[in-house]
Amino acid sequence: MNDAHLHMVVNHFPIIGTIFGVGILIAGIVLKNNSARNIAYFLFIISAIFAAISMSTGEGAEEIAEKLPGVTEQIIEIHEEIAEKFSLIMYFLGSFSLISLLLAVFKKPQEKYVGYFTLLVAIIALYFAQQTGTTGGEIRHTEIRENTTFQNDLISVEKEIKSDDD
């Protein structure tokens, strides 16, 4: 398994874990359910760890991806810059989640307020998660690029197929 493959395996968890974590944390806060909040904190911590792993495999994935047809250094650079911001936010989210979890375990009243702050950081992380996922997907999925030549490529392929049939 090379870095590109490993990157593809681990890079989804910080995004999906954050989405589920936000939903679970909101439910825990609304329902005043400590177990749900603790599960959300744990999910954020695990997601931050996976963000670190994803960042550590990104450079190797870049080396492989930039050699592929249709992949430009510019599109990789855009993804890399947003992913760096997302990972920093995830490290903060994981840290605040660890603090929130410890405060909850030791039944400290500050957990409620730190929990609200953790939710705020998690919501900010969702924005960067979406941006990171989209820009990462655009590297190989030209059909989701905003300014794509995908349709032109399709037309060219169709013309080649027709000319081969003649």
Side-chain angles (χ1 to χ4, degrees):
M1 181 180 303
N2 62 28
D3 276 350
H5 187 190
L6 187 56
H7 187 71
M8 292 297 298
V9 169
V10 300
N11 69 10
H12 296 90
F13 197 88
I15 297 169
I16 294 167
T18 303
I19 293 168
F20 282 121
V22 166
I24 294 168
L25 185 54
I26 289 171
I29 289 171
V30 169
L31 300 173
K32 298 179 184 350
N33 185 311
N34 293 337
S35 295
R37 288 197 308 263
N38 291 345
I39 289 168
Y41 299 146
F42 184 73
L43 257 175
F44 293 144
I45 293 165
I46 297 300
S47 295
I49 292 168
F50 272 87
I53 296 168
S54 187
M55 285 302 293
S56 71
T57 59
E59 197 66 38
E62 177 183 3
E63 295 298 318
I64 293 167
E66 67 188 7
K67 295 174 186 162
L68 299 171
V71 177
T72 65
E73 189 175 319
Q74 178 188 12
I75 199 155
I76 292 173
E77 193 65 34
I78 291 168
H79 172 64
E80 185 177 1
E81 287 177 19
I82 292 173
E84 287 170 353
K85 292 174 187 165
F86 176 51
S87 64
L88 284 174
I89 292 167
M90 288 305 296
Y91 304 151
F92 282 118
L93 179 58
S95 299
F96 286 116
S97 295
L98 181 60
I99 293 166
S100 296
L101 186 61
L102 291 172
L103 290 171
V105 166
F106 293 111
K107 300 187 186 326
K108 300 290 183 179
Q110 299 91 342
E111 182 270 330
K112 179 180 177 181
Y113 303 107
V114 176
Y116 288 137
F117 186 74
T118 301
L119 178 59
L120 176 65
V121 174
I123 290 170
I124 293 167
L126 282 179
Y127 170 77
F128 285 96
Q130 184 276 326
Q131 294 293 309
T132 302
T134 299
T135 57
E138 288 174 346
I139 292 172
R140 289 297 294 153
H141 296 282
T142 57
E143 71 276 13
I144 66 170
R145 291 183 192 167
E146 208 168 286
N147 298 320
T148 183
T149 59
F150 179 69
Q151 293 297 347
N152 295 336
D153 292 345
L154 227 96
I155 292 167
S156 298
V157 169
E158 287 173 353
K159 285 180 182 176
E160 281 183 42
I161 291 170
K162 285 182 184 176
S163 68
D164 288 344
D165 290 340
D166 294 337

